[in-house]
Amino acid sequence: MPAKRSLTLALALLLVAAIPARAAAFPAITVLDTNSGTTGSNPYTFAAFNGYLYYAATNSAVGYELWRTDGTTLGTTLVKDINANGTDSSNPYGFTALGDYLYFNANDGVNGTELWRTDGTELGTTRVSNINTSAGAGSSPERLTALSGYLYFRADDGTNGYELWRTDGTTLGTTLVKEINTSTGGSSYPDQFTVLSGYLYFQANDGTNGAELWRTDGTTLGTALVKEINTNEGGSSYPHELTALSGYLYFRADDGTNGTELWRTNGTMLGTTLVKEINTNEGGSSLPANFTAFDGYLYFQADDGTNGYELWRTDGTTLGTTLV
C-alpha cells in the first residue's frame, strides 16, 4: 500500500476510535421527567433568557404551560399556570427578549391569545395588554421583533384587522402604529419583520398596491411604502427572505416582468433595485431562497433555468452575483 494511503487510513482509524470516548464525555441525560409515565411532556419553542432556557411543556396537572430550566433537575420548574382551568393549556409561543423581560403569546382561557411577558417569576408573569376586548377573541399577536426599546408585532384588535402594533411592555404603551389597510374589514397582514439601521422592514398589503415592501420608525408618519415593485394592476411583489447585510436589505420579489428574483434596498425608492435576473428564460424565476449572510456575501439557493437549484452568492452587484 502506498505511504500516502497508509497514512490516510491510519488517521481515519484513529478518528473512528476516538468517537466513543468523545460521546462518553458528553452523555445525554434527562434533566427532569416533567410528565411521568409514557406520554412525555413534549417540550417545544425553546428560548434562552437571563441564564435560563424557557419553553412550553405539559404534564397531567396543567396542560401546555410556561417552564424554565437551568439544566438541573431542581432548577427545572413551572413558571406559571397561565390557563388555570384544570388541564387546559395556554400554549405559550413566540418567545422574544426585550430588556428585562421575555415576551410571548399565551391564552389564559378568558381573554384569548394575547401578549404576555415574564421576568422568570410567577408574579412577574403577566398579560401586557388585552388588545382585542371581544370576549375570548384574542388579538393573536405574532412576528414579535425587538427594536430600539420596543417590541413590534402584528395583531388584530377586532376593529382594524391584522395591523402593525408595538409595545414598551406597559398597557398604555401598547399601541397601533398604523392602520395600513384602511378598507372596511381589511387587514394589511404585516409579515417578514426584519431590522435594518433603526427601521423595521416588513411586507404589507395596503389594499391598493398589493403586498409590497414597507418600513417604519415606530411612528404613524414614519410608516411608509418603500417601493411598489410590482406595478401591474392588482399585482403584488411579495417580498420574502428579508436579510440585512452591509447596510442593505436583501430579499426576493416578483416585479411582474422578471419573475421572482433577487432584490435589495437601502430604504429609499431609488435605492430599491433588482440585483440580477438570474433566470433569464421567458417567464422564468430563479426563486432565490434560504438567504444567509456570511463573510461579506449573501449566500442563497437559486435556479438559473439551466443548472437547477444550486448555491449562489452576491456582493450586491450584478457582476458579483455568481453561481458558487
Side-chain angles (χ1 to χ4, degrees):
M1 181 179 290
K4 185 175 180 180
R5 290 183 62 191
S6 298
L7 178 59
T8 301
L9 179 59
L11 287 171
L13 289 173
L14 283 172
L15 287 172
V16 171
I19 289 173
R22 287 177 175 270
F26 300 98
I29 62 169
T30 300
V31 175
L32 178 66
D33 187 3
T34 304
N35 194 2
S36 59
T38 59
T39 304
S41 66
N42 298 318
Y44 70 96
T45 189
F46 301 97
F49 176 67
N50 282 356
Y52 286 86
L53 185 71
Y54 289 79
Y55 60 99
T58 185
N59 65 24
S60 59
V62 298
Y64 284 96
E65 295 294 344
L66 180 64
W67 290 71
R68 76 173 190 175
T69 184
D70 61 3
T72 68
T73 300
L74 290 177
T76 303
T77 57
L78 173 68
V79 177
K80 184 170 185 172
D81 183 11
I82 293 172
N83 189 330
N85 185 19
T87 58
D88 288 352
S89 300
S90 69
N91 294 314
Y93 70 98
F95 296 155
T96 305
L98 176 67
D100 297 326
Y101 290 88
L102 185 69
Y103 291 77
F104 58 96
N105 306 316
N107 187 336
D108 63 4
V110 177
N111 299 291
T113 301
E114 291 289 352
L115 184 64
W116 285 67
R117 72 176 190 176
T118 185
D119 61 3
T121 67
E122 183 177 7
L123 288 177
T125 303
T126 58
R127 190 184 69 223
V128 175
S129 180
N130 187 19
I131 294 172
N132 190 330
T133 57
S134 301
S139 65
S140 299
E142 293 182 319
R143 310 297 188 262
L144 278 58
T145 305
L147 170 63
S148 303
Y150 285 88
L151 192 73
Y152 290 80
F153 56 97
R154 76 178 186 195
D156 179 3
D157 63 2
T159 302
N160 299 294
Y162 283 96
E163 294 293 346
L164 180 65
W165 286 69
R166 76 172 188 174
T167 186
D168 61 3
T170 67
T171 301
L172 290 177
T174 303
T175 57
L176 175 67
V177 176
K178 184 172 185 174
E179 185 186 3
I180 294 171
N181 189 328
T182 57
S183 59
T184 302
S187 293
S188 69
Y189 291 110
D191 201 0
Q192 303 290 312
F193 290 4
T194 307
V195 173
L196 174 69
S197 302
Y199 285 87
L200 180 74
Y201 289 79
F202 56 97
Q203 172 192 289
N205 188 335
D206 63 3
T208 302
N209 300 294
E212 295 291 347
L213 183 65
W214 286 67
R215 76 173 190 175
T216 185
D217 61 3
T219 67
T220 302
L221 290 177
T223 303
L225 175 68
V226 176
K227 182 174 184 175
E228 185 185 2
I229 294 171
N230 189 328
T231 58
N232 295 334
E233 186 177 355
S236 295
S237 70
Y238 297 111
H240 270 67
E241 300 274 350
L242 277 59
T243 305
L245 173 66
S246 302
Y248 283 87
L249 192 72
Y250 291 80
F251 57 98
R252 78 179 197 183
D254 180 359
D255 63 3
T257 302
N258 299 294
T260 302
E261 294 292 346
L262 179 65
W263 286 68
R264 77 172 188 174
T265 185
N266 63 1
T268 67
M269 185 173 66
L270 290 177
T272 304
T273 58
L274 174 68
V275 176
K276 183 172 184 175
E277 185 185 2
I278 294 172
N279 188 329
T280 58
N281 295 335
E282 185 177 354
S285 293
S286 70
L287 299 173
N290 300 313
F291 289 7
T292 303
F294 174 66
D295 198 22
Y297 286 87
L298 181 77
Y299 288 79
F300 56 96
Q301 165 192 300
D303 178 4
D304 63 3
T306 302
N307 298 294
Y309 286 102
E310 294 293 347
L311 181 64
W312 286 69
R313 77 172 188 175
T314 185
D315 62 3
T317 66
T318 302
L319 290 177
T321 304
T322 58
L323 175 68
V324 175

